[in-house]
Amino acid sequence: MTPQDSPEHWHTLAPDEALQAVAATADGLSTAEVQRRLAASGPNRLPEPPRTSAFMRFLLQFHNILIYVLLCASLVTALLGHWVDTVVILIVVLANAVIGYLQEGKAEQALEAIREMLSPQAAVLRDGARQSVAADTLVPGDIVLLEAGDKVPADLRLLQAHGLRAQEAILTGESVPVEKSVAAVDAEAPLGDRLGMLFSGTLVAAGQGRGVVVATGAQTQVGRISGLLSTVQQRSTPLVTQMAVFSRWLTLVILAVCVLLMAYGWLLAGFAFDEIFLIMVGFAVSVIPEGLPAVLTITLAIGVRAMARRNAIVRRLPAIETIGSVSVICTDKTGTLTRNEMLVATALTGAQTLQVEGDGYAPQGRLSADGIPVDAANQALLQELAMAAALCNDAVLQHAEGVWTVQGDPMEGALLAFAGKCGRTPATLQTPRTGLIPFDSRLRFMATRHAIGAKAVVFLKGAPERVLAMCHLQRTEQGEAPLLREDWLARADAIASAGQRVLALATCTLADGRAELTAAELDGRLCLLGLVGMIDPPRAEAVTAVASCHEAGIRVKMITGDHALTAAAIARQIGLQNPARVLTGAELDAMDDAALAAAVLDCDVFARTSPENKLRLVTALQSHGLSVAMTGDGVNDAPALKRADAGIAMGRKGSAAAREAADLVLADDNFASIAAAVREGRTVYDNIRKLISWEIPTNAGEGITIVVAILFGMSIPVTPVQILWVNLVTTVALGLTLAFEPTEENTMRRPPRLRGESLIGPALAWQIGFVSLLFLVGVYGIYAVAIERGQSIELARTLAVNTLVVLEIFNLLFIRKLYGSSLTWRSLKGTPVLWGAIVVVVLAQGALTYLPFMQQVFGTAAVPLDEALMVLGIGVLMFVILEVEKQIRLRWRA
């Protein structure tokens, strides 16, 4: 076996076998051998991936068919000498590209974030002596020395372990440090159960150890995740996909109509070729929504600000509406649904079972028995249990800026918080420590000796079955009594089945407090004080957020590296729909893709999962046409975050790799912010649909008037320059107001839309067609009436263009409510931005109509008051017709 072979099976080898496999000895390698191996295996770094240049990323912002159409329109206007039109269109296109470039292109930085996790220095044995070397010079066969606080520099097979515990949450999702040993384990053991291994990028929480390097760089577990990340393809967001389809169809329709009309006008209607060509340019200018890309981008940017107020930081603009479309949220447990803090939830004494409440590591909280509050100060058994928890402890609680944190082992921090809730702290006890047996995975307990008065008192904590085996007595309210071992084991199993980690605490008094404390003198002399059950508690707000997601038709699934019992317990507490069924990583590995796709819909809890499992689960859900959001905070979440339709990382406790791979980052690490982000995402999508259903009829109405003019041999009611004015000035000003529209009342009571759902479905297509017809009738009607009355063509066209703008305004007032009445006071009151924009547009139209220099540029004429009132009446009439049609349509659907 070569040093980098079979990276999945080093945990199955005994220490001596591992040394033999890498051709090394316990004394380390020589400098010459290190140089030889370094040349063969390469530095302990992740390989640089190919990168897209900044210039190329900027050019890709223009890779959109609608942008191509706009660029062609700018070229045509330039050839015709309409330089102002050309400049305006190019500014719109360039602004859209710059905004997209600045917001996108950061996901690949996840690889850099993972590289930074490698330890810069490592303590090794080389040439028979201890040395400190750069971590990137480590090679397979190096002997690495580790102690508490060190970051593991490479994947190691342990040779020695003394009370060694490692914090592996970034890889496995498990909240508490893992006890390490040198024993080999089964080949099928999941990552979190490979006790003889230390993994690159994890932290040594306690103890000391020595291990041989078995994998470096890309061959480590972190390297494998990096490899997964580099091969994961991000899926296009629903909005991007739908806009691409919409743009293609719009382009094809425009080109087809232009060709047909040119052929008809030139060959059948008698138009000169240059005349019909210029008319077709006017048609193209009228139907192309020049301002749509810019307004869409600005709408998304406004959504970015709204989400930031909800503590959701958006890294890619299209991700805003994607989060609103998700139908499944796959969430990590540790640090996402839970606080990533251990908390004593249950305390068992010889007299009663107590429930413990509190907030994180704060030493304040409520104790109760069957819902009845308990005064800890009057409970002698509880006081002694709390004393043991406080004194047999190496952690320290710290309070800064209103937040309690733990320095040391999270479980010991939870014990200190529990003792504080009982009124016991190390500072108030004033009992000097005179002896110590540090925690060791072989002993499975920790013990401390203290001078209390003239006595030498020992307090011990450890695994229940180990501590119970060392006890012969138990503490009761009447004093000491024979130990009821089976009863205590049954009580321990009961709280363990609820997903809690159980510790037993015991005590004894020694005659001699000066000799070294040994395990032998404690065996059989201990008196059991009680048990405590600890759990990484769910966030209180997560329960509400999960319920809100369910109401919105979103299924929530938990994917964690933690144990199945713990995962099921948390699933029940936060209210997942099917917490009873749990699939483990081993079971997922045994399934092919078809079996996994069938199982993934009904199961909501997945435990002991690997990064590959998480990635497969996301892909399996997407195979059913579901839009999937993945939340997480660990390195192990990064590939699935990148693959998901919406990757959501934790900002505070999340790893840099997870943050860089995600589309959204929660600044407050709060699952409840996801429900708020879904609400904002749906609002953004609704506003985009409002924008499209408002702007397209306007452009279609303009285009149809030109078509009618050609087909019936009439003059054009609105000139190309007037159309460009409407499209780039009034349309953009009014369209922007829809970006500021508030959330509609039923937003979080609607089911999520299907991923393949068309941006313009049958209902919206009907509405666009109906409104376009009303625009045609209104614009051409007033133009025809003016011509019939013998008014000048300039006045007739001025009436037509003002009618077009008035119809836009009333259509805007109507379209603000897609799912409710537009005739309510709340709807008509609108927003300050709405009425501000209407005032600006009215003033702009007044300038267009009455200012002499504007009349010369745009070919307009002053409109008399009675004619202006007629224009206003047409707008009101269209509003009434549209509202009646909407009420009939909504009632027919109901």
Side-chain angles (χ1 to χ4, degrees):
M1 184 182 297
T2 61
Q4 299 271 12
D5 282 344
S6 304
E8 289 296 315
H9 297 97
W10 290 106
H11 56 282
T12 66
L13 302 179
D16 291 342
E17 293 173 328
L19 284 171
Q20 183 179 0
V22 294
T25 68
D27 295 327
L29 302 174
S30 66
T31 301
E33 180 64 14
V34 168
Q35 295 301 321
R36 189 189 67 79
R37 296 192 182 196
L38 189 60
S41 63
N44 183 29
R45 292 194 301 264
L46 300 182
E48 289 280 350
R51 296 297 181 92
T52 303
S53 68
F55 179 69
M56 198 62 185
R57 284 199 294 113
F58 180 71
L59 288 182
L60 288 174
Q61 304 301 318
F62 297 92
H63 185 51
N64 180 290
I65 192 168
L66 190 56
I67 298 298
Y68 295 153
V69 173
L70 290 175
L71 291 174
C72 290
S74 69
L75 177 62
V76 172
T77 55
L79 293 174
L80 294 175
H82 295 276
W83 296 108
V84 174
D85 302 341
T86 302
V87 171
V88 171
I89 294 174
L90 289 178
I91 288 175
V92 168
V93 171
L94 186 62
N96 183 66
V98 170
I99 293 173
Y101 174 77
L102 293 177
Q103 290 289 337
E104 297 181 4
K106 294 183 179 179
E108 296 306 318
Q109 293 178 9
L111 297 172
E112 278 296 327
I114 292 180
R115 286 189 195 95
E116 292 172 1
M117 295 181 60
L118 293 178
S119 175
Q121 294 291 317
V124 299
L125 286 178
R126 286 182 181 172
D127 297 321
R130 178 177 178 136
Q131 301 178 26
S132 180
V133 301
D136 60 3
T137 66
L138 290 179
V139 296
D142 261 324
I143 303 299
V144 177
L145 310 177
L146 293 163
E147 57 188 23
D150 287 346
K151 181 181 286 188
V152 181
D155 281 6
L156 310 176
R157 176 61 175 93
L158 283 171
L159 305 176
Q160 299 176 14
H162 304 287
L164 186 65
R165 280 178 284 176
Q167 178 57 264
E168 297 179 341
I170 63 167
L171 282 177
T172 66
E174 191 166 350
S175 306
V176 297
V178 180
E179 302 171 13
K180 294 294 183 176
S181 69
V182 298
V185 295
D186 291 338
E188 303 302 321
L191 202 65
D193 293 339
R194 299 177 187 178
L195 305 183
M197 298 291 296
L198 286 176
F199 300 107
S200 178
T202 61
L203 294 171
V204 178
Q208 297 177 336
R210 176 178 300 196
V212 59
V213 175
V214 294
T216 59
Q219 302 299 321
T220 64
Q221 290 294 331
V222 169
R224 290 175 59 247
I225 293 174
S226 175
L228 278 175
L229 201 57
S230 64
T231 60
V232 172
Q233 296 296 317
Q234 283 184 309
R235 297 214 302 178
S236 177
T237 69
L239 177 64
V240 171
T241 301
Q242 291 164 358
M243 285 303 299
V245 172
F246 170 72
S247 300
R248 284 196 297 271
W249 277 107
L250 179 62
T251 303
L252 291 173
V253 169
I254 291 172
L255 294 177
V257 172
C258 283
V259 170
L260 291 175
L261 285 178
M262 281 189 65
Y264 174 83
W266 185 35
L267 300 175
L268 300 178
F271 285 88
F273 180 79
D274 57 346
E275 181 183 8
I276 191 66
F277 179 77
L278 289 176
I279 291 175
M280 285 304 95
V281 170
F283 171 78
V285 170
S286 68
V287 295
I288 293 174
E290 291 93 343
L292 184 59
V295 175
L296 279 176
T297 302
I298 293 169
T299 302
L300 292 172
I302 291 170
V304 168
R305 289 196 304 169
M307 287 208 178
R309 290 193 295 269
R310 300 275 190 161
N311 292 308
I313 301 168
V314 179
R315 299 186 61 252
R316 297 196 311 125
L317 279 180
I320 302 170
E321 63 82 29
T322 305
I323 187 64
S325 72
V326 299
S327 45
V328 178
I329 297 177
C330 295
T331 174
D332 186 43
K333 177 186 71 68
T334 305
T336 308
L337 291 171
T338 66
R339 300 175 59 95
N340 199 17
E341 298 172 340
M342 296 304 293
L343 174 75
V344 172
T346 308
L348 287 72
T349 67
Q352 58 189 335
T353 299
L354 300 169
Q355 290 74 48
V356 185
E357 301 173 15
D359 183 17
Y361 293 115
Q364 299 92 30
R366 178 176 179 266
L367 285 81
S368 61
D370 297 324
I372 302 173
V374 171
D375 183 4
N378 297 324
Q379 299 283 328
L381 297 180
L382 189 59
Q383 285 295 306
E384 193 169 8
L385 183 68
M387 178 183 287
L391 294 180
C392 188
N393 203 307
D394 286 329
V396 176
L397 293 182
Q398 295 182 338
H399 187 249
E401 299 180 356
V403 178
W404 285 91
T405 58
V406 60
Q407 296 298 315
D409 189 288
M411 288 200 296
E412 292 196 328
L415 291 173
L416 284 180
F418 163 68
K421 293 168 188 175
C422 298
R424 297 280 194 170
T425 65
T428 58
L429 291 172
Q430 295 296 321
T431 51
R433 180 184 292 184
T434 61
L436 169 69
I437 300 177
F439 181 87
D440 187 281
S441 58
R442 294 169 299 174
L443 296 175
R444 301 180 68 195
F445 69 80
M446 170 186 176
T448 57
R449 185 178 60 205
H450 301 266
I452 302 179
K455 299 178 181 178
V457 180
V458 172
F459 293 108
L460 179 144
K461 69 171 185 285
E465 57 275 17
R466 176 69 174 107
V467 175
L468 286 169
M470 299 173 68
C471 295
H472 73 289
L473 298 172
Q474 67 182 54
R475 191 80 81 211
T476 68
E477 291 178 322
Q478 291 74 37
E480 295 181 345
L483 179 68
L484 301 176
R485 181 173 286 103
E486 297 304 319
D487 288 348
W488 283 103
L489 286 173
R491 297 176 74 184
D493 289 342
I495 58 175
S497 65
Q500 298 182 27
R501 300 176 185 273
V502 186
L503 283 180
L505 294 102
T507 186
C508 70
T509 301
L510 300 178
D512 185 2
R514 294 170 297 175
E516 180 181 354
L517 186 62
T518 63
E521 63 181 316
L522 302 179
D523 205 1
R525 300 183 58 179
L526 293 171
C527 177
L528 183 69
L529 298 175
L531 307 176
V532 292
M534 289 176 283
I535 196 168
D536 181 8
R539 296 175 180 270
E541 59 273 19
V543 179
T544 304
V546 168
S548 177
C549 290
H550 288 162
E551 185 180 15
I554 301 170
R555 191 78 175 256
V556 180
K557 297 179 182 292
M558 179 196 298
I559 306 176
T560 178
D562 214 337
H563 294 280
L565 279 177
T566 304
I570 295 295
R572 288 192 296 271
Q573 293 177 44
I574 64 172
L576 294 191
Q577 292 181 352
N578 186 15
R581 185 185 182 194
V582 181
L583 287 176
T584 65
E587 292 170 319
L588 297 178
D589 289 335
M591 296 181 181
D592 58 22
D593 290 342
L596 180 60
V600 75
L601 292 177
D602 294 329
C603 183
D604 287 341
V605 186
F606 302 90
R608 304 306 275 173
T609 54
S610 66
E612 292 90 344
N613 293 148
K614 294 185 179 186
L615 191 56
R616 286 187 69 207
L617 286 168
V618 171
T619 305
L621 287 165
Q622 290 172 334
S623 70
H624 291 282
L626 301 173
S627 290
V628 182
M630 171 73 188
T631 73
D633 61 353
V635 176
N636 57 333
D637 300 321
L641 285 172
K642 187 177 178 184
R643 171 65 189 181
D645 297 284
I648 308 171
M650 303 297 109
R652 290 183 180 177
K653 296 181 180 178
S655 66
R659 290 195 299 269
E660 292 298 335
D663 301 304
L664 283 81
V665 178
L666 300 186
D668 59 353
D669 286 10
N670 193 335
F671 184 85
S673 297
I674 297 174
V678 170
R679 181 185 179 92
E680 291 294 339
R682 290 187 174 188
T683 300
V684 167
Y685 185 76
D686 283 349
N687 290 346
I688 290 173
R689 288 186 70 240
K690 292 173 185 177
L691 173 65
I692 292 173
S693 60
W694 174 79
E695 184 165 347
I696 298 303
T698 301
N699 293 56
E702 296 168 1
I704 291 173
T705 58
I706 296 176
V707 173
V708 170
I710 294 173
L711 293 178
F712 293 97
M714 302 171 64
S715 59
I716 299 175
V718 185
T719 66
V721 70
Q722 291 171 346
I723 288 173
L724 196 60
W725 164 269
V726 172
N727 283 6
L728 294 183
V729 180
T730 62
T731 301
V732 171
L734 294 174
L736 275 176
T737 66
L738 292 172
F740 296 90
E741 283 299 298
T743 305
E744 294 199 36
E745 291 80 0
N746 69 338
T747 295
M748 290 301 285
R749 295 193 296 272
R750 303 196 309 259
R753 68 184 188 275
L754 298 176
R755 181 178 176 85
E757 179 181 312
S758 173
L759 191 62
I760 301 179
L764 190 54
W766 153 254
Q767 185 179 346
I768 289 174
F770 184 58
V771 175
S772 299
L773 181 62
L774 293 179
F775 268 66
L776 172 65
V777 172
V779 173
Y780 231 115
I782 198 168
Y783 175 78
V785 169
I787 295 296
E788 183 69 23
R789 290 180 177 179
Q791 293 171 338
S792 67
I793 192 169
E794 289 80 12
L795 179 56
R797 283 175 170 168
T798 304
L799 288 170
V801 74
N802 278 291
T803 299
L804 181 61
V805 173
V806 167
L807 291 177
E808 282 188 353
I809 291 174
F810 278 96
N811 188 33
L812 180 68
L813 295 175
F814 161 78
I815 208 69
R816 293 180 62 245
K817 292 293 181 182
L818 291 174
Y819 304 98
S821 174
S822 301
L823 293 174
T824 63
W825 168 245
R826 179 180 178 184
S827 177
L828 293 175
K829 183 176 67 173
T831 63
V833 174
L834 171 70
W835 290 108
I838 290 175
V839 168
V840 169
V841 168
V842 169
L843 292 176
Q845 286 303 115
L848 180 81
T849 304
Y850 297 106
L851 292 182
F853 79 92
M854 296 284 281
Q855 291 174 344
Q856 291 180 2
V857 173
F858 291 96
T860 57
V863 175
L865 179 60
D866 59 335
E867 304 281 0
L869 292 175
M870 183 172 64
V871 170
L872 183 64
I874 292 174
V876 173
L877 178 61
M878 187 196 73
F879 179 83
V880 172
I881 292 173
L882 288 175
E883 185 61 25
V884 170
E885 183 273 338
K886 179 170 66 174
Q887 294 304 320
I888 293 173
R889 177 162 38 87
L890 292 177
R891 291 182 182 180
W892 179 76
R893 284 183 183 177

